Amino acid sequence: MHGLGDTAAGFTDVAQMWSNTMPHIKFILPTAPSQPVSMNMNMAMPSWYDIKGLDERTNEECDGIFASQTRINKILDEENLLGIPFSRMAVGGFSQGGAMSLFVGLQMPVEKKLAGVCVMSGYLAGSKQFKLTPGLENTPVFHGHGTQDPMVAFSMAEKTKKMLEEAGVTNYEMKSYPIQHTVIPEEIQDVGRFLAKILPGGTENELEKKAPSEMSVKELKAAIKAGGLGNQAVGLCEKSEFVKLLNDNL
């Protein structure tokens, strides 16, 4: 997930780099809805939730964060319908997107426990609303952060780690970099190593995809949406029609 004011396009090149070395991983890059942001004089921009200011962000109410959480959960549910176990999924992001990753990944239902959470220059948003799901204490978390960050101070990263460990998180790795509010090749490589560790490739980890004829109608619709075939599905009603559409486009 991208940061405030950015879009999915901002991390497309980075995701492509990771995909080149980890082709078994599917990367999904959503764009936040455009909404007024208090910190920026209520100007509308892509934002996962409202931000009031730069100081002590963990105390903010973060209006809109629950709507964004629901949206990300829906994306994860749709991937699960396609046959991917939640244990083979991870969430991650930069800045506000990193904050969303913590808010989503550590509050999943225990039966939907993820493989891990990746945070770059992020923090714990909406701490008053945040409740760690029992059973997710050992979910792996990687947090990379610049020691010279003027937007999300490094002290906020340290406080985030402390608050989450006090809440029960036991597997929180934080690494610092001598940078401001950005990422560098070293951090991108570190995140790649983290992803490769929690989402390893290999035959034993490859997923057996269902044939369209074996899918339920709900799974068929999810596969059609994921494949960008929604327009071609308009007017279709019967399961056999959905199956044919997918088979014709495999």
Side-chain angles (χ1 to χ4, degrees):
M1 286 169 270
H2 61 77
L4 177 66
D6 200 359
T7 67
F11 266 82
T12 300
D13 56 340
V14 175
Q16 186 59 59
M17 289 173 57
W18 288 327
S19 182
N20 289 341
T21 58
M22 297 174 284
H24 63 283
I25 297 179
K26 175 181 179 180
F27 291 90
I28 299 176
L29 308 178
T31 293
S34 182
Q35 55 187 314
V37 177
S38 298
M39 184 178 70
N40 290 334
M41 299 180 292
N42 288 319
M43 290 179 57
M45 61 187 62
S47 179
W48 298 108
Y49 53 83
D50 190 30
I51 296 178
K52 304 292 185 184
L54 294 178
D55 298 329
E56 198 47 63
R57 294 188 180 188
T58 58
N59 286 334
E60 293 190 359
E61 294 184 0
C62 303
D63 294 338
I65 196 168
F66 288 114
S68 290
Q69 179 188 29
T70 298
R71 181 182 169 202
I72 300 304
N73 284 341
K74 183 179 179 181
I75 292 174
L76 298 174
D77 286 340
E78 289 174 349
E79 291 303 305
N80 180 249
L81 283 174
L82 295 177
I84 303 177
F86 289 99
S87 61
R88 291 286 293 166
M89 301 183 198
V91 289
F94 174 78
S95 192
Q96 192 190 44
M100 275 304 308
S101 298
L102 287 172
F103 199 83
V104 171
L106 297 179
Q107 294 191 104
M108 296 289 290
V110 67
E111 66 272 14
K112 297 181 179 180
K113 183 178 180 180
L114 303 180
V117 177
C118 177
V119 184
M120 294 175 284
S121 304
Y123 59 98
L124 178 61
S127 62
K128 294 178 181 178
Q129 301 100 307
F130 177 85
K131 294 186 184 300
L132 176 66
T133 301
L136 303 193
E137 293 87 354
N138 65 343
T139 299
V141 178
F142 175 84
H143 186 159
H145 211 104
T147 56
Q148 303 166 26
D149 193 329
M151 301 298 293
V152 182
F154 186 70
S155 60
M156 186 61 66
E158 294 178 311
K159 182 173 182 179
T160 290
K161 183 176 186 289
K162 182 175 183 291
M163 291 174 69
L164 288 173
E165 289 181 338
E166 288 177 348
V169 173
T170 61
N171 194 358
Y172 199 108
E173 175 189 358
M174 187 163 71
K175 183 173 181 180
S176 63
Y177 305 88
I179 57 175
Q180 297 190 11
H181 197 61
T182 185
V183 296
I184 55 175
E186 181 185 355
E187 183 176 9
I188 292 173
Q189 292 172 2
D190 288 338
V191 172
R193 281 191 285 268
F194 175 74
L195 292 175
K197 180 179 178 180
I198 63 173
L199 298 171
T203 305
E204 69 277 11
N205 292 302
E206 295 301 321
L207 301 172
E208 183 178 345
K209 294 185 177 180
K210 285 185 179 180
S213 60
E214 299 174 345
M215 295 181 182
S216 67
V217 172
K218 189 174 183 179
E219 290 172 328
L220 286 165
K221 289 182 177 179
I224 288 170
K225 180 179 179 181
L229 303 172
N231 290 336
Q232 297 182 49
V234 174
L236 302 185
C237 299
E238 300 296 327
K239 178 179 179 179
S240 59
E241 295 176 313
F242 295 132
V243 170
K244 184 176 186 303
L245 175 60
L246 280 178
N247 282 331
D248 290 346
N249 288 274
L250 287 178

